[in-house]
Structure formats: C-alpha cells, structure tokens
Amino acid sequence: MGRLGEPAFRAEQLYHWLYVRCERDWDSMTNLAKPFRQRLADTCAIGTLTPDTIQQSQDGTRKYLFRLSDGQVVESVLMHFQERDTYAVCLSTQVGCAVDCSFCATGKLGFKRNLSVSEIVEQYLFVQHESEKEVRNVVFMGQGEPLLNLPNVLPAVHLLNEAAEVGMRRMTISTSGIVPQIYTLAQEALPITLAVSLHAPNDAIRGQLMPINRKWPLAELMPALHHYVEKTHRRLTIEYILIDGLNDQAAQARELGKLLHGLRCNVNLIPYNPIHQQLPGAPMDYRRSRPSAVDRFRQIVSDYGKKVTVRLERGADIDAACGQLANRL
C-alpha cells in the first residue's frame, strides 16, 4: 500500500476483505474509495484459479474443477454434514499424485507438480465465497500426498488459521505414511488432526494396496505414529478402506486391533468407492464390502478399545467421494 501511495490501514482493510470475507470483486469492497478500487482493478488480480466446472451431488456435495495458471487442473470438494449443520472443504495439495494407491483414481493420473501455498489457500477462499456458506472445517484429503508437499502445506495451514480464521483443531492433514515427514510434522506440534491411510493390518496386503508401503513398511510407520502422538498429544485418525474379500475379514480386524494397541487413535472405516474403469490401472475386481462385513469389522476393532466410525459417503454420484477425484467431468 505504501508503494501505491496509500495509507497503511488500507492493507488491513484488504486483508479482511480477501481472507475473512473471501471477496473476489473489487467493487464489493465498499469501505474502499471508488478511485482506489478502480486502481486495484487495473493493477491487481485476485487469485489465479479459474473454475472450469462446478457439479452438485444429490446429497448436496459440490465438486469444483479448477484450472491453474499453467493449464493444469485440480479438484476440491465442499461437503455438508446435515446432522451437525456444518460445512467442510476438501483441498488438494498436488496436481496428480505419485503414491499411486491401487484403489485411488488420483494416483492413476501420475504426479504433475506440487501446488503453491496460494493455490492451496485459494481453493478454500473460492469455495467459501462461491458457496456463501460458513466453511469452518478444512481437510487436506484431496488430490496428492500432503506430506510430500509439506513446505507449502504448512504455510497454507498457518495462513488459513491466522488470516481466514479457520481453527487449527478444525483442520485435518491426511497421509499415506511418509515416515520422515511424519517426524517433521511432529516437531511442529500443531493442534491439527493427522489422518493416516493404513488400509491393511500387515505388509502383505498393504503393499498390494499401497506401493509406498514397500519404502516405509509398518515396522517403520508404526513407531513414527507413536512418536507423533507422544510429541503432539493429539489423537490420530486411522483411515481404513474396506474392500470385499481383500482386507475386510474378521481375522484382519483382529490383526488391526492388535497392531493399534497402545496407540492413541480413532478408526474411520471407509467403504470402497469404485473408480472409472477407463482410467489406466484401475482395479477391475475391487468391490465394496457387504454391510454385514463392515458391521462385523467395526465391532471387532471396537472390542479392542478403539472408537470406530463408518464414513458416511458423500458425492459418489459425481465422483467426489474418497478415492474418486480424477479431474474428470
């Protein structure tokens, strides 16, 4: 503002409009003088993301396909939890993903690049503005592996907290198990939630589902998770996708209960969401677990003293559910 010859308080006014009000139109910033608004319009741009498509699910979930300044595309999802009347936005952190979990559509795209701090934060700002909802929960569970872009994800977390006023306890970062970065994140001791995609109780099945397990097997991942809890005093969320006949048997539920013994965590069971068979490498034989198998698995793990929930599906009819983001219309 000083370089533009404006008083310093203009910076605070703009900060409020951009990050708290999530405004994207200079003319709507009514406490700024009209000549100044015109000068801003002539010399500045608000953000770099262009919405290509916005789709709405039958359950109210909205999926946003954004085009980036270099022509790449990425998706974000707005979810409404009616039982609590709250909104959460699922943000992407990379274009594509290098982890390539067998059940996930994003991994079939391959890895293109990391998103910048501004590209991550602007997803939230755009969705908040466009939806006209009070979006107070943020999950870094969209496209990409957040811990492989930690130098940009961490500043985005701080900016969303300090500027957009999203409480850190309302933010969740998901990871497939990038062990060195789990230790790095533990050092930050942030009051966020770390969600860990486990999906199997042993290396044989987990290696089949998640190639990353070959680099950091459970013998390395589990100590990292215990260290994280000890360092942050935060309860983890263990994510577990249930696939019929592969990882949903009673023996595997008992194995999971034993694996998680002594770890402060909740378990979130996720019924498998099919992905487009046209995608290269899409699994042909994965099926969603039967409801009876889900209930049996939940009960067994609960008997080991863990709080276990079954994720309520959101946006599957528009390919916006867990594992379905593939930059497709």
Side-chain angles (χ1 to χ4, degrees):
M1 292 300 97
R3 288 196 299 271
L4 290 176
E6 294 291 332
F9 71 83
R10 292 291 189 211
E12 187 174 347
Q13 290 177 315
L14 279 174
Y15 193 83
H16 182 82
W17 279 112
L18 293 171
Y19 288 102
V20 180
R21 297 289 295 273
C22 301
E23 186 53 65
R24 301 183 66 84
D25 180 6
W26 300 115
D27 285 336
S28 297
M29 301 180 185
T30 51
N31 63 343
L32 304 180
K34 191 170 183 179
F36 178 50
R37 280 181 273 161
Q38 186 58 54
R39 189 176 182 189
L40 289 172
D42 292 340
T43 59
C44 304
I46 301 176
T48 61
L49 304 188
T50 302
D52 260 22
T53 309
I54 302 175
Q55 294 176 278
Q56 180 146 332
S57 166
Q58 295 177 355
D59 62 27
T61 299
R62 292 169 73 81
K63 184 173 73 169
Y64 299 77
L65 180 67
F66 292 111
R67 188 161 300 278
L68 310 178
S69 58
D70 62 358
Q72 299 283 358
V73 291
V74 73
E75 290 176 307
S76 310
V77 179
L78 174 67
M79 298 164 287
H80 181 210
F81 297 93
Q82 292 152 328
E83 60 277 10
R84 302 189 301 270
D85 195 27
T86 58
Y87 290 85
V89 62
C90 179
L91 304 182
S92 293
T93 56
Q94 297 179 314
V95 181
C97 184
V99 177
D100 195 21
C101 298
S102 65
F103 51 80
C104 180
T106 305
K108 311 311 171 192
L109 303 175
F111 173 72
K112 305 296 193 301
R113 68 171 176 86
N114 287 327
L115 295 183
S116 67
V117 178
S118 62
E119 289 169 333
I120 295 170
V121 172
E122 192 186 347
Q123 293 172 68
Y124 170 84
L125 298 178
F126 184 95
V127 171
Q128 173 85 294
H129 173 79
E130 188 279 334
S131 68
E132 298 183 335
K133 306 298 183 184
E134 187 176 358
V135 185
R136 308 317 295 164
N137 298 277
V138 172
V139 296
F140 295 88
M141 293 182 172
Q143 296 179 344
E145 165 54 64
L147 295 197
L148 290 180
N149 190 18
L150 202 55
N152 289 334
V153 170
L154 280 178
V157 166
H158 286 288
L159 194 55
L160 287 167
N161 174 242
E162 296 160 12
E165 302 180 354
V166 178
M168 281 205 183
R169 293 181 183 275
R170 293 179 174 269
M171 295 191 213
T172 298
I173 295 178
S174 177
T175 181
S176 59
I178 313 300
V179 167
Q181 279 82 350
I182 291 174
Y183 285 105
T184 299
L185 187 59
Q187 290 299 118
E188 298 290 325
L190 300 176
I192 60 168
T193 297
L194 180 63
V196 181
S197 296
L198 199 63
H199 305 321
N202 58 59
D203 286 325
I205 300 176
R206 195 166 192 266
Q208 177 182 343
L209 292 172
M210 306 176 70
I212 200 70
N213 191 75
R214 299 164 200 163
K215 187 169 186 178
W216 291 296
L218 292 174
E220 295 185 37
L221 175 59
M222 298 311 296
L225 299 185
H226 282 277
H227 172 82
Y228 183 89
V229 172
E230 292 167 7
K231 190 74 176 177
T232 64
H233 307 291
R234 297 286 294 166
R235 187 183 300 273
L236 296 168
T237 296
I238 299 297
E239 308 277 10
Y240 196 104
I241 283 181
L242 288 167
I243 299 172
D244 181 46
L246 180 59
N247 66 348
D248 65 346
Q249 302 302 297
Q252 291 148 1
R254 289 189 288 271
E255 196 174 359
L256 179 63
K258 294 174 183 176
L259 179 68
L260 300 179
H261 177 72
L263 182 65
R264 189 181 179 202
C265 65
N266 297 326
V267 178
N268 187 211
L269 302 179
I270 308 168
Y272 169 68
N273 294 303
I275 63 178
H276 282 288
Q277 295 302 319
Q278 300 96 312
L279 290 171
M284 302 297 291
D285 56 349
Y286 285 2
R287 297 181 302 276
R288 175 174 290 198
S289 297
R290 297 183 304 277
S292 59
V294 173
D295 188 61
R296 179 185 61 189
F297 200 97
R298 180 195 60 77
Q299 186 59 58
I300 292 172
V301 178
S302 296
D303 290 343
Y304 280 84
K306 299 301 180 186
K307 179 181 178 181
V308 184
T309 57
V310 179
R311 180 175 296 179
L312 183 63
E313 181 183 88
R314 301 284 181 181
D317 58 318
I318 57 170
D319 293 328
C322 179
Q324 292 186 317
L325 298 185
N327 293 342
R328 297 169 61 94
L329 300 182

